[in-house]
Amino acid sequence: MRHPWRFLLFRNYPRSSLQFAASSHHLQVHINPSSVLHEYLHTLSSVVPTRSYSSGSSSSQITTFYSRFINLVGLKNSNFRNPVIRSFSSEPAVEQKESDVTVASDIFCKFSDVNDISKELELNGAVFTHEMVLRVLKNLQSSPDVARRFFNWVLERERERLSSKSYNLMLRILGVNGFVEEFWHLVDAMKKKGYGVSSYVRDKMTEKFEKEGSDNDLEKLKAIFATGSIDNSAEQVSSKICKVIKSEVWSDDVERKLKDLKANFSSDLVKCVVGSLSNEPMKALIFFRWTEESGLVKHDESSHNVMARVLGREDCIDRFWKVVDEMRSTGYEMEMGTYDKVYWRFCERKMVKDAVDLYEFAMAGNNKPSVSCCTFLLRKIVVSKQLDMGLFSKVVRTFTENGNVLTDAMLNSVLKALTSVSRFGECNKILKVMEEVGFVASSNMKSKIVFRLSSDGRKDETNEFMNHIEDSGSNLGASTWVSLIEGDCVAGDLEKARYDFQKMLEKEGPPHAGRALELLVNAYCRKNRAIDAWKLVHDYANENQLMPRHTTCKELIKELLVQGGFKDALSLMSLMKDNGFPPFLDPFIKYVSKSGTADDAITFLKAITSKRFPSTAVVLRLFEAFFQARRHSEAQDLLSKCPGYIRNHADVLNLFYSKKSGGRSAAAVAA
């Protein structure tokens, strides 16, 4: 067999389990090709017509040979797939969600400080790829200042995500919005990177410069295209090579035609051709192998990366791993641009296992993915059809073994993803895996988790979480208990809330239970059980010396009066008085004046003071309330039950006199 690479089109590379050695960082892949299969495909390659794959007769003939071969050798291995008739999808990777682009755009619109921007992007789990950069720039093209801020941010922090397309898009945004000086500065920067100005940008700016009469700028633009660009000759030769390759099935005749072009094969030319053949990845791979096997070029790190980008798709996955294995064994590194492109494609195509393997591979090299890439991958794992904790654990361990530290922000992002697919109950599994590599959730994070579990009514998961925290030796803390009880109250489970409150009292003691008691009381009141709430307060005050907060007492008094618990409200008022709280008069005055009797009023007045009777000012307020409620007779009854110094007080006499008709004297009123 003259050229082993000929059979790459027909071979399947089953990928064995990967092993990443910390010392060598080499990816181990083992392949066991079948010699019988090779011999048959050698015969097959000699009879395949030199016509396009799209040829119906060619496909039919190849399919016939394939079927005969399968029957001949009895090959039933499911790993062997028809190498020719299988679908080589030219469909692009699924684009990122519009919401991700909108969130990123909004962050750059809202914030100008780079630290604020970076913080918000991390909190939202934003991951920038080449495609993401293009989408955001397109979204911001009507806001050139924001677009420039975004472009500069990417240039400073993740410049490997910028491509010729993104430079040209930014160039167009600057140009059409009148930022001419910045436009030419960016053109100069593109020249240094070997990027040319696209014909679309040229046409748009030519039109603009002509319309505005900017002759100097127009001449400069024409000069750029008159001299050509650095990559122009390579692009022209690449176009000719691709035309030959695409027109026929690979054969000796194709090789002859390529050599007849007398092209100066270089790494740049190979990259250009392979990239142009991205919709026909197997032809791209054959060309890639042929150029090196024929001694035309020695592939470098850059050309290997381009080849890997083209093969990084579901229908070429085995060959992709073969190429990246060769890269690592040769000492080449995977570029972040390659990682981003393939990684995002894997994630969007739901190839989660391959995305995890790719992440592990990249973390074993020198060009390591960012923290946000890890967070995004963890989110992808937890929203997959089946939650694979093995993959989750692998990513977490790979991340921490490379010197990184898991944070609350990462856990929070993962929990949001769990919530989006109604899997928050699995949070205990997530937390345990993260704790295995040293992660310790903050008190605030524990509170968030336990509140969500309890408010969702997940009793088993809540108990598991609380028990796990205690068993691990960590202190739950009062805030965690309060969040647990608050969640119980939100779920409407008052019995569990009361049970958890009792446990909190035992663990944390009365001094830390005021907030929790307030939540419990409010929950009872919302259920129209204010009297039961008062019984709880009374019992805890007597048995545990737990004094409710002033705000708790005030709200409970209101609810007791609404729900007919006047005597209980007065008892609570006495409890407040005993503990030094100021009296809470307004709801009592309102209640008594509208629906109480004179006896109720006297009982209230005596309850609010430690003396025989409260001040005249308080009594006057009550009299005025009776009159406003048009209950004159009740006011008169109350007056008759008051002590003499109240009945004869000038302000009281004047008040009653003003309400009387017929002009009787104040003395008559007093009598």
Side-chain angles (χ1 to χ4, degrees):
M1 290 181 285
R2 184 164 56 90
H3 294 302
W5 51 263
R6 284 178 173 274
F7 304 115
L8 289 169
L9 179 61
F10 309 109
R11 287 174 60 184
N12 182 45
Y13 293 99
R15 187 166 180 244
S16 65
S17 177
L18 294 180
Q19 296 178 353
F20 298 98
S23 57
S24 64
H25 289 168
H26 284 179
L27 171 65
Q28 305 299 320
V29 181
H30 305 283
I31 304 171
N32 296 307
S34 169
S35 58
V36 176
L37 174 59
H38 282 188
E39 289 297 325
Y40 179 76
L41 291 177
H42 176 67
T43 305
L44 175 60
S45 65
S46 66
V47 298
V48 174
T50 57
R51 294 159 67 178
S52 172
Y53 279 74
S54 61
S55 169
S57 59
S58 297
S59 298
S60 175
Q61 186 175 359
I62 294 169
T63 303
T64 301
F65 275 106
Y66 173 76
S67 300
R68 289 177 180 175
F69 173 70
I70 293 297
N71 292 331
L72 176 66
V73 301
L75 185 59
K76 301 299 183 181
N77 189 342
S78 60
N79 286 331
F80 182 80
R81 294 165 287 186
N82 189 333
V84 179
I85 65 172
R86 68 178 290 186
S87 170
F88 295 127
S89 171
S90 61
E91 181 182 333
V94 178
E95 294 182 341
Q96 288 182 275
K97 295 179 181 178
E98 189 65 32
S99 59
D100 296 336
V101 177
T102 302
V103 168
S105 301
D106 289 345
I107 289 173
F108 280 90
C109 288
K110 184 177 180 181
F111 299 97
S112 58
D113 183 79
V114 292
N115 294 324
D116 292 337
I117 290 173
S118 299
K119 181 180 178 181
E120 288 297 317
L121 290 173
E122 182 178 352
L123 288 174
N124 285 275
V127 176
F128 287 104
T129 64
H130 292 288
E131 290 78 5
M132 179 71 162
V133 171
L134 290 172
R135 293 285 302 280
V136 174
L137 279 175
K138 289 178 182 177
N139 206 37
L140 296 173
Q141 55 188 337
S142 61
S143 304
D145 289 330
V146 181
R148 184 166 49 181
R149 183 186 307 150
F150 168 71
F151 186 86
N152 290 336
W153 186 91
V154 177
L155 183 63
E156 291 176 8
R157 285 165 176 75
E158 306 199 35
R159 64 178 56 198
E160 63 273 8
R161 273 74 169 172
L162 294 175
S163 62
S164 176
K165 284 185 179 180
S166 50
Y167 269 91
N168 270 282
L169 180 52
M170 188 65 232
L171 194 64
R172 179 166 65 86
I173 293 172
L174 291 172
V176 299
N177 286 283
F179 293 86
V180 179
E181 184 177 352
E182 290 87 345
F183 173 88
W184 290 118
H185 285 323
L186 189 57
V187 169
D188 292 338
M190 291 171 65
K191 285 181 180 179
K192 294 177 182 179
K193 297 182 75 66
Y195 294 152
V197 178
S198 71
S199 58
Y200 180 77
V201 174
R202 175 198 61 190
D203 294 342
K204 292 290 290 186
M205 294 310 298
T206 297
E207 179 183 346
K208 181 176 178 63
F209 290 151
E210 288 177 345
K211 183 177 180 180
E212 296 178 350
S214 303
D215 295 336
N216 291 336
D217 292 315
L218 187 60
E219 290 302 319
K220 286 176 66 176
L221 188 62
K222 290 180 178 179
I224 291 176
F225 284 89
T227 57
S229 66
I230 296 175
D231 296 328
N232 195 37
S233 60
E235 291 174 355
Q236 290 178 355
V237 175
S238 170
S239 178
K240 295 177 182 178
I241 292 175
C242 290
K243 186 176 182 181
V244 172
I245 295 175
K246 290 179 179 180
S247 64
E248 304 180 45
V249 174
W250 192 279
S251 64
D252 290 336
D253 188 45
V254 171
E255 295 174 26
R256 180 183 57 77
K257 290 180 180 180
L258 292 178
K259 290 181 178 179
D260 288 346
L261 293 176
K262 300 188 182 303
N264 181 21
F265 284 91
S266 64
S267 178
D268 286 340
L269 179 58
V270 170
K271 289 190 295 182
C272 197
V273 173
V274 170
S276 299
L277 292 173
S278 59
N279 287 341
E280 298 185 69
M282 300 315 301
K283 286 188 175 182
L285 181 58
I286 288 180
F287 171 78
F288 182 80
R289 297 298 191 194
W290 173 74
T291 53
E292 187 164 56
E293 290 284 342
S294 302
L296 298 174
V297 68
K298 174 66 176 176
H299 294 316
D300 57 13
E301 180 175 286
S302 183
S303 56
H304 272 90
N305 271 275
V306 173
M307 189 69 253
R309 293 181 202 179
V310 171
L311 293 174
R313 44 193 280 175
E314 54 195 330
D315 53 5
C316 305
I317 190 64
D318 296 330
R319 292 167 179 84
F320 166 77
W321 288 116
K322 173 68 176 176
V323 169
V324 298
D325 173 53
E326 291 175 358
M327 287 174 57
R328 183 60 58 80
S329 62
T330 311
Y332 296 148
E333 291 291 336
M334 177 177 285
E335 298 170 356
M336 285 311 300
T338 302
Y339 173 81
D340 283 342
K341 190 176 186 66
V342 178
Y343 168 81
W344 182 253
R345 190 182 297 152
F346 285 171
C347 288
E348 286 302 311
R349 299 278 181 145
K350 296 181 172 58
M351 301 167 64
V352 180
K353 183 179 184 304
D354 289 294
V356 170
D357 286 343
L358 181 63
Y359 178 78
E360 188 178 19
F361 178 88
M363 288 295 284
N366 292 328
N367 300 325
K368 301 183 188 298
S370 65
V371 173
S372 59
C373 285
C374 175
T375 304
F376 183 80
L377 185 54
L378 293 176
R379 287 169 58 89
K380 274 294 178 182
I381 293 172
V382 301
V383 300
S384 298
K385 189 174 182 180
Q386 297 293 331
L387 177 57
D388 191 329
M389 291 308 300
L391 293 180
F392 190 91
S393 178
K394 178 185 283 190
V395 173
V396 167
R397 290 187 180 279
T398 300
F399 179 77
T400 54
E401 286 171 0
N402 279 272
N404 299 301
V405 178
L406 296 169
T407 64
D408 274 359
M410 296 177 71
L411 175 58
N412 189 53
S413 184
V414 172
L415 294 181
K416 286 182 179 179
L418 279 175
T419 302
S420 69
V421 290
S422 302
R423 281 184 185 163
F424 196 85
E426 305 288 352
C427 67
N428 285 317
K429 296 179 181 178
I430 300 297
L431 189 59
K432 287 177 182 177
V433 168
M434 296 178 69
E435 287 176 342
E436 287 174 359
V437 295
F439 173 72
V440 178
S442 67
S443 177
N444 183 50
M445 183 56 63
K446 293 175 187 175
S447 297
K448 285 184 178 180
I449 293 173
V450 76
F451 170 77
R452 183 58 193 272
L453 288 172
S454 58
S455 63
D456 285 349
R458 300 178 183 274
K459 295 182 180 181
D460 293 340
E461 291 86 349
T462 303
N463 292 335
E464 181 184 353
F465 174 82
M466 297 293 284
N467 292 335
H468 172 69
I469 297 299
E470 287 190 308
D471 292 344
S472 64
S474 299
N475 181 28
L476 284 168
S479 62
T480 305
W481 281 105
V482 170
S483 295
L484 170 65
I485 294 164
E486 184 177 10
D488 294 335
C489 294
V490 170
D493 193 343
L494 298 185
E495 294 305 313
K496 186 174 185 303
R498 185 173 179 179
Y499 172 81
D500 289 334
F501 181 75
Q502 187 62 43
K503 294 284 291 183
M504 178 185 181
L505 279 178
E506 297 172 2
K507 298 285 185 179
E508 303 294 331
H512 302 285
R515 170 60 179 160
L517 179 59
E518 186 170 59
L519 291 169
L520 190 58
V521 167
N522 291 342
Y524 270 87
C525 290
R526 285 194 297 270
K527 294 280 189 178
N528 295 321
R529 296 177 60 183
I531 296 176
D532 291 334
W534 158 243
K535 292 178 180 177
L536 288 179
V537 170
H538 181 269
D539 291 343
Y540 287 128
N542 290 335
E543 298 174 9
N544 302 94
Q545 288 74 52
L546 171 59
M547 181 58 201
R549 294 178 173 181
H550 191 206
T551 54
T552 306
C553 296
K554 291 168 67 174
E555 290 302 315
L556 182 53
I557 284 174
K558 291 179 183 179
E559 293 296 329
L560 284 170
L561 293 174
V562 169
Q563 297 177 32
F566 176 66
K567 292 183 179 180
D568 293 324
L570 288 176
S571 298
L572 182 53
M573 175 72 81
S574 298
L575 183 63
M576 293 174 63
K577 182 177 63 175
D578 294 342
N579 284 272
F581 291 143
F584 187 41
L585 305 180
D586 291 350
F588 283 101
I589 293 175
K590 181 179 179 181
Y591 171 80
V592 171
S593 65
K594 288 187 176 182
S595 56
T597 65
D599 289 336
D600 291 335
I602 292 295
T603 304
F604 159 65
L605 292 171
K606 290 181 177 180
I608 64 175
T609 182
S610 58
K611 300 178 181 179
R612 179 169 173 265
F613 216 70
S615 67
T616 306
V618 174
V619 181
L620 270 172
R621 283 185 60 190
L622 189 53
F623 283 138
E624 289 172 346
F626 270 117
F627 286 129
Q628 287 176 1
R630 299 180 182 275
R631 302 184 70 199
H632 292 223
S633 61
E634 284 77 4
Q636 192 69 50
D637 289 344
L638 173 60
L639 180 63
S640 66
K641 296 177 182 293
C642 289
Y645 74 92
I646 296 292
R647 293 199 306 270
N648 296 315
H649 195 282
D651 291 336
V652 174
L653 293 174
N654 289 334
L655 175 63
F656 274 81
Y657 177 74
S658 66
K659 302 299 180 181
K660 293 290 183 177
S661 60
R664 289 187 299 164
S665 67
V669 173

